[in-house]
């Protein structure tokens, strides 16, 4: 058997609901523990050990929430788009479930990034909102998420909802780089680049470690939520299948 | 010669179709086959899934399980070939209210991709619409709009006909004519799938029957 | 099989229907004019102010009118079953859909573009700025129609499609809005605006090549649910 065939087989096995359900169930506790540890490391490191910024004082510490959630907002959309493509091409139900449960949590990350960005902006710029390139991009990304969620919930039939929303996610994914580029370009026209303090070109190690650990914690948290959601969604969708019946009777 | 029917044996085969809408099973493990010269008559009450089945057969909807093949090839790969041979008439007729009878028919003919085997005038006579050539669709009754759709069976004769409630809204005389046409189609080697919830006397037609629902 | 005939049949059918419903096709243009003429009342009739906000106002109004004109793009075909015949045609769905969107653009987008110089005059834009406005709309409006049609195709089967459609489509309009109105603003400042126009052209090329395929598969999805 060639490597490609093996990979394909693995892919199919992973996509089989019963197998996925079991593996995910076994992974969940580990992911939960890792998330909590990393989040503790990140919070303590960020709030206590990292030095205060010489310009912004302690206010900057909000980046330990803001930056990871901004990263996640983009990452989750891409996960959603990739899974939508898999669902549309190979009709793998699991991918649709992943895309679906990603949408709400992705929107939450985006919202969190917007709120923390705005809170951070208050001491920095003296105003709650500024049309900064990043914040504006995040705002449009939030609209894209809301559109996806809105379309999904407007269609009763699960399969149709998945396919329609999948097409939308792909169109969105093609557009995100263009939107991002155009917003950044628009922003540089209207504001001198110096305002954009959200970029941190040089960063100390004592700041970097908590930041990375928070970013990882956010990723694992997302993974945790997606797995929990997918498991319950799978049970619901496959309730007539043999493996669910066996599962229920064995407990 | 009225039609470009292929000489070979065409076959539409559906195996183990299942379909559910929001946890309500509409079709369970349904298999059927239609070959050249056969008429498949699908009976069943309202909500028994007749329309759903027809829409799945012609690829407008996808079954949750099961496969459909056209001439031995899976429908996905044979889609273009199948659509070149297909005439589907659903509940909705597709007749535009702002276009005249002739304009509606010409449009259907143009996008059907089939050569015209009969002129529009004689088809209109057959469906009893001569004199209505230039009436806009909105001035026509539902029965007349259905007749416009049915005229396609005369003008662009394809091999596979999938007809949802073809007798709905028609008078007795037209139903007779239509049945004659169906028999003729089958005799020429065509395939025909139709539904009806009325029990219509189909003695004229030598058909296979499937009953959906309880 | 004659692709040209099928395309023309679709185009002519839709143009014919549109011209028989004259009142409806005029509405987006009237909406466009009314919205733009509200701004001097709301903000200030001062020519200096109007000159600065003019390009943005006209672009936003154009965007909303296009969205409005698209609401019913596939509605009647969906209701009367013509969409099934279109999807079951052996001709590629993308080809027929392209004809449909082109027809819609001819009867609603084009009048919008043609009347824009007049609105430029109302907002005291100079002649050379109006020229740029015209070109930017000429490149941008077809993009708006094409991308909007994707949203329409996705929502055509839904009852409350209108508000959802705006939510789906407006974020996707952001790049064209930025480049389009900015081209005009740059022209007003005597700066180069070629870059923006090139961007608009690039977006238009992407939308017209990929758009029809996306629209026809979205229609297929919407149609599988009744």
């Amino acid at each position: 058997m060639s490597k490609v065939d093996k990979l394909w087989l693995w892919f199919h096995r992973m996509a089989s609901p019963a197998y996925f359900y079991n593996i995910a169930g076994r992974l969940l506790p580990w992911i939960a523990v890792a998330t909590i540890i990393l989040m503790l490391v990140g919070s303590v490191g960020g709030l206590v050990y990292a030095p205060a910024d010489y310009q912004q004082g302690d206010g900057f510490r909000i980046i330990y929430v803001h930056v990871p959630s901004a990263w996640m907002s983009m990452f989750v959309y891409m996960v959603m788009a990739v899974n939508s493509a898999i669902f549309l091409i190979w009709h793998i139900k699991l991918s649709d479930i992943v895309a679906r449960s990603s949408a709400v949590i992705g929107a939450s990350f985006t919202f969190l990034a917007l709120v923390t960005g705005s809170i951070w902006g208050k001491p920095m710029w003296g105003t709650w909102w500024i049309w900064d390139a990043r914040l504006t991009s995040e705002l449009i990304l939030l609209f894209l998420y809301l559109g996806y969620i809105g379309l999904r919930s407007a269609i009763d039939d699960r399969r149709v909802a998945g396919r329609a929303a999948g097409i939308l996610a792909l169109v969105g994914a093609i557009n995100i780089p263009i939107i991002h580029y155009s917003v950044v370009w628009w922003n540089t026209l209207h504001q001198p680049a110096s305002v954009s303090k959200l970029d941190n070109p040089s960063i100390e190690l004592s700041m970097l470690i908590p930041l990375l650990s928070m970013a990882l914690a956010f990723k694992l948290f997302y993974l945790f939520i997606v797995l929990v959601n997918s498991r319950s969604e799978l049970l619901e969708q496959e309730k007539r299948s043999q493996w669910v019946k066996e599962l229920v009777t064995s407990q | 010669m009225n039609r470009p029917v292929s000489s070979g044996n065409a076959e539409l085969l559906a195996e183990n179709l299942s379909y559910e809408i929001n946890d309500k099973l509409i079709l369970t493990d349904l298999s059927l086959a239609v070959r050249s010269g056969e008429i498949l008559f699908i009976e069943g009450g309202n909500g028994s899934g007749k329309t759903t089945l027809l829409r799945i057969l012609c690829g407008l909807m996808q079954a949750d399980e099961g496969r459909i093949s056209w001439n031995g090839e899976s429908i996905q790969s044979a889609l273009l070939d199948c659509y070149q041979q297909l005439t589907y008439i659903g509940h909705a007729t597709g007749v535009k209210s702002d276009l005249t009878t002739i304009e509606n028919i010409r449009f259907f003919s143009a996008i059907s991709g089939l050569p015209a085997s009969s002129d529009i005038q004689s088809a209109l006579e057959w469906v009893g619409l001569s004199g209505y050539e230039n009436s806009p669709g909105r001035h026509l009754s539902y029965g007349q709009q259905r007749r416009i759709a049915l005229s396609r069976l005369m003008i662009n004769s394809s091999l596979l006909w999938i007809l949802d409630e073809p007798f709905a809204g028609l008078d007795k005389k037209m139903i007779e004519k239509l049945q004659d046409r169906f028999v003729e189609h089958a005799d020429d080697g065509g395939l025909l799938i139709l539904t009806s919830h009325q029990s219509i006397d189909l003695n004229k037609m030598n058909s296979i029957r499937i009953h959906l629902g309880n | 099989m004659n692709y040209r005939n099928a395309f023309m049949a679709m185009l002519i059918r839709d143009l014919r229907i549109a011209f028989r419903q004259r009142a409806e096709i005029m509405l987006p243009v009237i909406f466009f004019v009314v919205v733009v003429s509200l701004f001097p009342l709301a903000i200030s009739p001062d020519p200096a102010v109007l000159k600065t906000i003019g390009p943005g106002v006209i672009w936003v109004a154009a965007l909303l009118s296009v969205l409005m004109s698209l609401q019913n793009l596939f509605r009647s075909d969906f209701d009367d079953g013509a969409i099934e015949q279109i999807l079951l045609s052996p001709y590629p769905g993308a080809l027929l859909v392209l004809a449909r969107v082109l027809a819609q653009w001819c009867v609603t987008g084009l009048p919008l573009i043609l009347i824009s110089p007049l609105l430029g005059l109302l907002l005291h834009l100079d002649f050379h700025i109006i020229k740029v406005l015209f070109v930017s709309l000429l490149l941008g409006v077809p993009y708006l129609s094409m991308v909007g049609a994707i949203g329409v195709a996705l929502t055509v089967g839904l009852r409350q499609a209108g508000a959802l459609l705006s939510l789906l489509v407006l974020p996707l309009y952001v790049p064209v809005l930025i480049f389009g109105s900015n081209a005009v603003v740059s022209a007003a400042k005597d700066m180069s605006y070629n870059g923006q126009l090139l961007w608009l052209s690039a977006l238009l090329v992407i939308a017209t090549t990929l758009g029809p395929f996306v629209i026809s598969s979205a229609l297929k999805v919407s149609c599988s649910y009744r």
Side-chain angles (χ1 to χ4, degrees):
Chain A
M1 199 157 60
S2 77
K3 267 200 174 136
V4 178
D5 284 342
K6 266 189 197 159
L7 189 72
W8 192 241
L9 202 73
W10 175 84
F11 189 55
H12 256 266
R13 238 183 30 177
M14 266 318 279
S16 115
Y19 187 77
F20 175 85
Y21 185 87
N22 283 329
I23 289 285
R26 256 182 276 162
L27 283 177
L28 276 177
W30 297 100
I31 296 173
V33 169
T35 308
I36 292 169
I37 292 174
L38 281 169
M39 218 168 252
L40 278 176
V41 170
S43 316
V44 173
L47 294 178
V48 181
Y49 290 102
D53 190 270
Y54 73 100
Q55 263 183 329
Q56 303 167 40
D58 283 330
F60 93 100
R61 293 184 196 273
I62 203 166
I63 64 160
Y64 295 113
V65 180
H66 174 78
V67 172
S69 41
W71 284 346
M72 286 307 287
S73 63
M74 207 59 107
F75 173 78
V76 173
Y77 200 95
M78 288 304 147
V79 172
M80 215 168 83
V82 168
N83 275 289
S84 301
I86 294 175
F87 175 64
L88 288 173
I89 298 168
W90 291 294
H91 305 282
I92 290 175
K93 268 190 209 164
L94 188 58
S95 289
D96 183 43
I97 295 174
V98 170
R100 181 188 136 121
S101 41
S102 294
V104 177
I105 184 160
S108 318
F109 279 130
T110 315
F111 186 70
L112 192 62
L114 276 174
V115 171
T116 51
S118 145
I119 293 172
W120 188 15
K122 184 62 182 161
M124 261 179 70
W125 299 311
T127 165
W128 289 109
W129 180 261
I130 199 140
W131 289 94
D132 162 83
R134 292 254 179 118
L135 286 180
T136 312
S137 287
E138 285 290 317
L139 184 66
I140 295 166
L141 186 61
L142 181 66
F143 293 154
L144 289 178
Y145 271 117
L146 293 181
Y148 180 93
I149 296 169
L151 182 62
R152 258 208 113 103
S153 54
I155 305 175
D156 305 334
D157 189 314
R158 204 187 286 130
R159 289 151 303 194
V160 181
R163 284 161 66 207
I167 293 177
L168 184 69
L170 287 181
V171 172
I174 296 175
N175 271 278
I176 282 179
I178 304 174
I179 294 173
H180 186 73
Y181 173 82
S182 67
V183 168
V184 168
W185 178 83
W186 157 83
N187 197 248
T188 52
L189 284 182
H190 294 277
Q191 288 172 339
S194 67
V195 181
S196 200
K197 278 264 170 61
L198 297 176
D199 308 295
N200 260 320
S202 62
I203 189 162
E204 271 183 57
L205 201 61
S206 58
M207 291 162 81
L208 189 65
I209 289 171
L211 187 62
L212 288 183
S213 117
M214 275 306 249
L216 202 55
F218 270 50
K219 278 223 165 71
L220 289 176
F221 174 70
Y222 160 69
L223 186 65
F224 181 81
I225 300 280
V226 166
L227 290 184
V228 170
N229 265 341
S230 309
R231 266 164 60 96
S232 58
E233 187 73 19
L234 267 183
L235 282 189
E236 163 82 27
Q237 286 195 15
E238 301 265 310
K239 61 176 173 284
R240 258 187 284 275
S241 69
Q242 199 54 39
W243 69 271
V244 174
K245 282 178 190 154
E246 278 166 19
L247 192 79
V248 173
T249 47
S250 72
Q251 274 172 4
Chain B
M1 261 309 272
N2 197 14
R3 60 185 50 257
V5 163
S6 78
S7 52
N9 261 326
E11 182 189 47
L12 183 76
L13 192 70
E15 294 161 288
N16 312 100
L17 297 181
S18 293
Y19 188 80
E20 59 176 275
I21 296 177
N22 290 334
D23 296 333
K24 201 174 143 249
L25 281 167
I26 307 286
L27 304 173
T28 24
D29 211 14
L30 183 94
S31 299
L32 58 85
V34 197
R35 291 174 193 84
S36 280
E38 286 181 351
I39 297 174
L40 179 72
F41 182 63
I42 300 167
E43 297 171 300
N46 291 326
S48 58
K50 301 187 301 285
T51 299
T52 307
L53 175 60
L54 291 199
R55 291 172 70 87
I56 287 173
L57 286 178
C58 65
L60 281 172
M61 291 163 87
Q62 270 142 32
D64 294 327
E65 321 245 315
R67 55 175 256 131
I68 301 170
S69 46
W70 171 246
N71 292 338
E73 259 186 279
S74 135
I75 190 93
Q76 275 87 14
S77 49
L79 206 59
L80 188 64
D81 178 50
C82 180
Y83 283 0
Q84 272 176 338
Q85 316 275 6
L86 169 73
T87 302
Y88 169 79
I89 300 178
H91 277 289
T93 54
V95 171
K96 307 305 290 181
S97 56
D98 284 306
L99 296 184
T100 66
T101 305
I102 294 268
E103 285 164 348
N104 270 306
I105 291 177
R106 287 222 175 100
F107 171 70
F108 287 139
S109 177
I111 65 163
S112 75
L114 293 162
S117 52
S118 154
D119 66 300
I120 291 180
Q121 203 53 49
S122 57
L124 279 180
E125 261 161 46
W126 180 69
V127 293
L129 280 180
S130 45
Y132 290 94
E133 289 85 351
N134 294 316
S135 320
R138 80 171 84 80
H139 291 170
L140 301 176
S141 70
Y142 177 67
Q144 286 171 318
Q145 294 190 3
R146 287 207 58 92
R147 285 162 189 249
I148 293 182
L150 289 170
S151 73
R152 289 161 51 207
L153 300 179
M154 261 332 224
I155 299 168
N156 305 109
S157 200
S158 60
L159 187 59
L160 171 62
W161 294 359
I162 297 185
L163 312 176
D164 198 358
E165 304 276 356
F167 305 120
L170 298 180
D171 56 33
K172 215 170 179 179
K173 205 173 133 216
M174 189 65 215
I175 292 178
E176 290 278 306
K177 275 204 254 182
L178 210 50
Q179 288 196 35
D180 289 340
R181 182 79 184 105
F182 292 167
V183 173
E184 190 192 341
H185 179 64
D187 288 347
D188 285 348
L191 292 75
L192 171 60
I193 302 173
L194 69 151
T195 62
S196 183
H197 66 271
Q198 308 151 297
S199 50
I200 282 176
D201 182 28
L202 292 175
N203 290 336
K204 281 186 166 182
M205 298 176 358
N206 192 5
S207 62
I208 312 163
R209 291 184 179 227
I210 290 188
H211 193 85
L212 289 186
N214 319 322
Chain C
M1 295 278 281
N2 184 330
Y3 287 75
R4 202 171 150 271
N5 270 2
F7 183 84
M8 291 310 284
M10 188 79 196
L11 187 67
I12 288 167
R13 180 197 80 146
D14 290 328
L15 289 177
R16 218 175 236 154
I17 293 174
F19 284 117
R20 286 179 191 169
Q21 306 172 331
R22 260 169 254 111
E24 276 173 51
I25 64 170
M26 287 311 290
L27 281 178
V29 180
I30 295 169
F31 177 80
F32 183 45
V33 175
V34 171
V35 168
V36 169
S37 53
L38 288 180
F39 277 83
L41 300 174
I43 298 172
S44 154
D46 178 8
V49 174
L50 292 180
K51 262 183 198 173
T52 42
I53 63 162
V57 164
I58 292 177
W59 256 95
V60 170
L63 196 142
L64 294 177
S65 335
V66 169
L67 195 60
M68 192 181 115
S69 73
L70 290 174
Q71 303 264 352
N72 293 325
L73 184 62
F74 298 114
R75 166 62 58 192
S76 78
D77 283 341
F78 193 80
D79 288 342
D80 64 26
I83 203 78
E84 290 165 0
Q85 300 304 331
I86 291 169
L87 292 178
L88 291 178
S89 156
Y91 295 104
L95 181 80
L96 301 176
V97 159
L98 182 65
R100 177 78 194 90
V101 177
L102 183 63
Q104 183 75 8
W105 181 81
C106 286
V107 293
T108 58
L110 200 56
L112 222 72
I113 298 167
L114 293 178
I115 207 158
S116 64
L118 188 70
L119 296 177
L121 284 179
L122 286 183
L123 298 183
H124 298 280
L125 299 183
D126 295 335
F127 181 66
H128 76 280
I129 302 173
I130 290 179
K131 258 193 323 198
V132 180
L133 174 74
F134 187 79
V135 175
S136 73
L137 284 171
L138 198 61
L139 294 169
V141 171
Y143 176 92
L144 299 179
S145 303
M146 198 52 94
V147 172
I150 298 175
V152 179
L154 287 171
T155 52
V156 66
L158 306 174
R159 258 152 284 142
Q160 300 280 313
L164 184 59
L165 177 67
S166 333
L167 180 60
L168 299 191
V169 167
L170 287 178
L172 303 177
Y173 281 177
V174 165
V176 163
L177 178 68
I178 289 178
F179 291 124
S181 59
N182 199 271
V184 189
V185 171
S186 297
K189 289 184 188 158
D190 280 330
M191 280 160 33
S192 162
Y193 47 80
N194 287 334
Q196 289 90 315
L197 293 185
L198 287 176
W199 259 104
L200 286 178
S201 322
L203 290 175
L204 179 59
V205 170
I206 297 173
T208 38
T209 44
L210 296 182
F213 295 95
V214 180
I215 297 168
S216 82
S217 39
L219 277 177
K220 257 178 214 150
V221 172
S222 287
C223 229
S224 65
Y225 175 66
R226 313 209 80 173

